[in-house]
Amino acid sequence: MRINRLFCGCLSLSCLSSPLYAALIEDSKASLYMKNLYFDRDIKDQHQLPTRPDLDHWSQSFTLNLNSGYTDTPVQVGLDATARYAIRLSSGKNIVDNVMPYDSKHQQQARDHLKLGAALKLKYQKTELKIGELVPKLPIIHTDAVMQLPTTFLGALLESTDIQNTKITAGRITKVSGRNEEDYAKLRLINGSTQAPSDGMNFLGVDYDFKDQQLRYFYAQLEDIYDQHFLGYEYRHRFNQLTQLKSNLYFFDTRDSGQRLEGKIDSQAFASMNTLSYGPQSFGLGYKHMQGDTQFPLLAGWVPQVYLANWSVGTYSAQDQRSWQLRYDYDFKNTAFKGLKTTLRYYYGDNIKTLDAHEGVEKELDVILNYEFQHARLKGLALNWLYADYKHSLARDYVENRVAATYSYNF
């Protein structure tokens, strides 16, 4: 099998035929993910800001994931490898479109985009350590995969579920490669005053589940820039077979630390998302309150903070900002349109701090359609569309469309 031969070459193990290493190959898995993306942002400049061309982009990507099994040794060993490639199909405008790499020195946008990655896996009982390329989805650091290729990181991540109902997470991340970058760079803040690099982020987290509830605590230290504490609580209740409620509460406390390379940081964020589901429908209500002497620190490299609840095309994370979200979802699984899911979201944020008042307003209307083909011959094929009408009293307004056709195949 080609996959097995590829793993043999990657691992270069002379004793691969030994029974100790047989599962490494026999349990290997591979998948191919393809994405054809069209992205368009029509900028409505109503604030007399410097002119900027509209953004439009069309590209195709291919992602090959190779995941080995584990050796039959006391400490099990494995390897994950990825190859990600994207090519632009539309003509280049030689502008920063946040999808493809851009060479600022030559003011030229790349035609294609390649990311190669690998991670060594070490496993003992229910504890696993990954070293190398990481794609974390944690409250304190998260990947971004909404465009073409995802944001990836370099570092080490340990996860353990040896304790009943408890998950322990720990790690260190040293570099980031944004969704529109091939190379890796040190971590820094996109909204920092000095853009100072940090040597890395150290973090530790604990998840504890009991009955229909979950508690989460994470601590992150962005060396010489900030210390961040995250506390999360989730409550789930099923009223009957059709009706259930899920409520999430999030709290962030971030303050400068170490050499304070970005100066003073003092930000607290309170967020809540509550969803009531009834059959194929769900109704959501979200609220977020930002406070503190500074704005919420955001990592550069397209690192989203989805645990701030109100986070979409807009971030709703300005200093002192208050924001609300109304959401409605419908799943057509019990109709002739099985495979279709729709989402309607509205965000409104105000009280944004300006130079002499709290007058800033940010709002957004999103319409999302997702369709997964149900026919056996089309299994793995899906269509996605996001329409966003975004308005900001202190920045540019725009209308954005993202249309994607994706295909997944497991070997």
Side-chain angles (χ1 to χ4, degrees):
M1 187 176 178
R2 291 183 179 179
I3 299 171
N4 295 353
R5 291 200 296 269
L6 180 57
F7 271 110
C8 290
C10 292
L11 296 171
S12 300
L13 296 173
S14 60
C15 54
L16 213 52
S17 60
S18 165
L20 292 175
Y21 296 90
L24 186 73
I25 299 303
E26 293 175 357
D27 295 337
S28 64
K29 300 178 182 178
S31 65
L32 177 65
Y33 177 75
M34 296 184 288
K35 184 176 185 178
N36 189 282
L37 171 71
Y38 175 74
F39 162 70
D40 175 79
R41 177 176 290 181
D42 183 12
I43 297 174
K44 311 294 184 182
D45 194 351
Q46 300 176 357
H47 306 286
Q48 298 181 350
L49 299 171
T51 58
R52 180 178 176 180
D54 294 340
L55 301 180
D56 61 272
H57 173 97
W58 181 31
S59 60
Q60 173 69 50
S61 70
F62 306 86
T63 298
L64 178 64
N65 292 296
L66 304 173
N67 306 103
S68 77
Y70 292 90
T71 60
D72 189 14
T73 53
V75 177
Q76 299 172 290
V77 181
L79 178 71
D80 290 343
T82 59
R84 301 180 175 94
Y85 176 73
I87 182 169
R88 177 167 44 81
L89 303 176
S90 56
S91 59
K93 288 187 176 181
N94 291 329
I95 60 175
V96 180
D97 66 5
N98 306 326
V99 183
M100 287 292 182
Y102 179 79
D103 186 340
S104 57
K105 181 178 179 180
H106 297 93
Q107 296 185 346
Q108 187 174 8
Q109 184 188 65
R111 177 70 179 180
D112 55 7
H113 188 190
L114 176 66
K115 282 189 176 188
L116 299 175
L120 175 68
K121 302 184 293 187
L122 302 173
K123 187 176 182 180
Y124 180 74
Q125 295 182 358
K126 296 182 180 180
T127 298
E128 183 179 61
L129 173 66
K130 290 187 176 181
I131 304 173
E133 182 192 61
L134 303 174
V135 187
K137 296 181 180 180
L138 302 173
I140 43 81
I141 194 163
H142 203 285
T143 188
D144 184 339
V146 300
M147 291 297 187
Q148 269 295 10
L149 303 188
T151 296
T152 56
F153 302 84
L154 290 181
L157 175 65
L158 182 144
E159 294 181 323
S160 176
T161 56
D162 282 298
I163 303 175
Q164 186 178 6
N165 301 328
T166 303
K167 180 179 179 180
I168 298 175
T169 305
R172 174 176 170 80
I173 289 177
T174 56
K175 292 187 178 181
V176 58
S177 175
R179 68 191 190 197
N180 61 339
E181 299 288 343
E182 290 185 345
D183 299 328
Y184 282 88
K186 287 189 174 182
L187 300 173
R188 66 187 73 215
L189 300 184
I190 193 171
N191 56 352
S193 58
T194 67
Q195 299 295 297
S198 172
D199 288 336
M201 174 185 283
N202 307 300
F203 56 89
L204 174 66
V206 178
D207 296 350
Y208 179 68
D209 287 87
F210 55 104
K211 294 184 179 179
D212 295 325
Q213 303 171 74
Q214 182 190 60
L215 280 174
R216 307 190 77 181
Y217 169 76
F218 271 80
Y219 165 74
Q221 177 195 59
L222 186 60
E223 293 183 357
D224 291 319
I225 294 183
Y226 69 61
D227 287 342
Q228 185 174 83
H229 299 270
F230 167 83
L231 184 63
Y233 172 72
E234 180 174 287
Y235 174 75
R236 302 175 297 271
H237 179 73
R238 180 178 291 275
F239 297 94
N240 51 51
Q241 291 297 319
L242 289 177
T243 311
Q244 56 185 335
L245 173 69
K246 184 172 78 169
S247 294
N248 291 94
L249 300 174
Y250 305 122
F251 171 69
F252 286 90
D253 183 21
T254 313
R255 302 176 190 268
D256 54 83
S257 65
Q259 297 185 31
R260 303 174 71 240
L261 298 179
E262 284 290 357
K264 183 176 182 178
I265 296 177
D266 175 39
S267 173
Q268 293 77 47
F270 304 86
S272 173
M273 188 65 200
N274 306 276
T275 304
L276 178 66
S277 299
Y278 179 75
Q281 304 179 84
S282 64
F283 307 84
L285 175 63
Y287 175 74
K288 180 167 64 179
H289 185 102
M290 310 297 299
Q291 68 178 43
D293 295 333
T294 64
Q295 61 184 329
F296 188 89
L298 298 174
L299 291 170
W302 297 105
V303 182
Q305 186 37 270
V306 296
Y307 284 80
L308 282 177
N310 294 347
W311 184 283
S312 183
V313 172
T315 66
Y316 307 90
S317 59
Q319 185 178 356
D320 295 338
Q321 185 174 12
R322 301 169 303 196
S323 60
W324 293 261
Q325 176 189 167
L326 291 175
R327 174 171 177 157
Y328 175 74
D329 294 78
Y330 191 87
D331 188 340
F332 288 78
K333 59 184 178 181
N334 296 322
T335 72
F337 301 101
K338 182 179 179 181
L340 177 63
K341 296 180 181 179
T342 63
T343 299
L344 180 65
R345 299 186 303 214
Y346 178 73
Y347 299 89
Y348 180 85
D350 63 6
N351 203 53
I352 299 175
K353 185 175 182 180
T354 57
L355 292 177
D356 53 2
H358 288 78
E359 300 175 342
V361 174
E362 181 181 16
K363 52 187 176 181
E364 175 184 344
L365 174 65
D366 295 346
V367 179
I368 303 173
L369 299 179
N370 296 303
Y371 181 70
E372 295 183 3
F373 286 84
Q374 301 299 298
H375 194 282
R377 294 183 178 180
L378 298 176
K379 182 180 179 181
L381 180 62
L383 299 176
N384 315 100
W385 175 45
L386 164 69
Y387 168 85
D389 185 355
Y390 178 78
K391 293 179 172 61
H392 200 302
S393 63
L394 305 175
R396 292 181 176 91
D397 302 340
Y398 54 84
V399 173
E400 182 167 308
N401 284 277
R402 302 177 194 171
V403 182
T406 62
Y407 179 71
S408 304
Y409 181 76
N410 297 318
F411 294 94

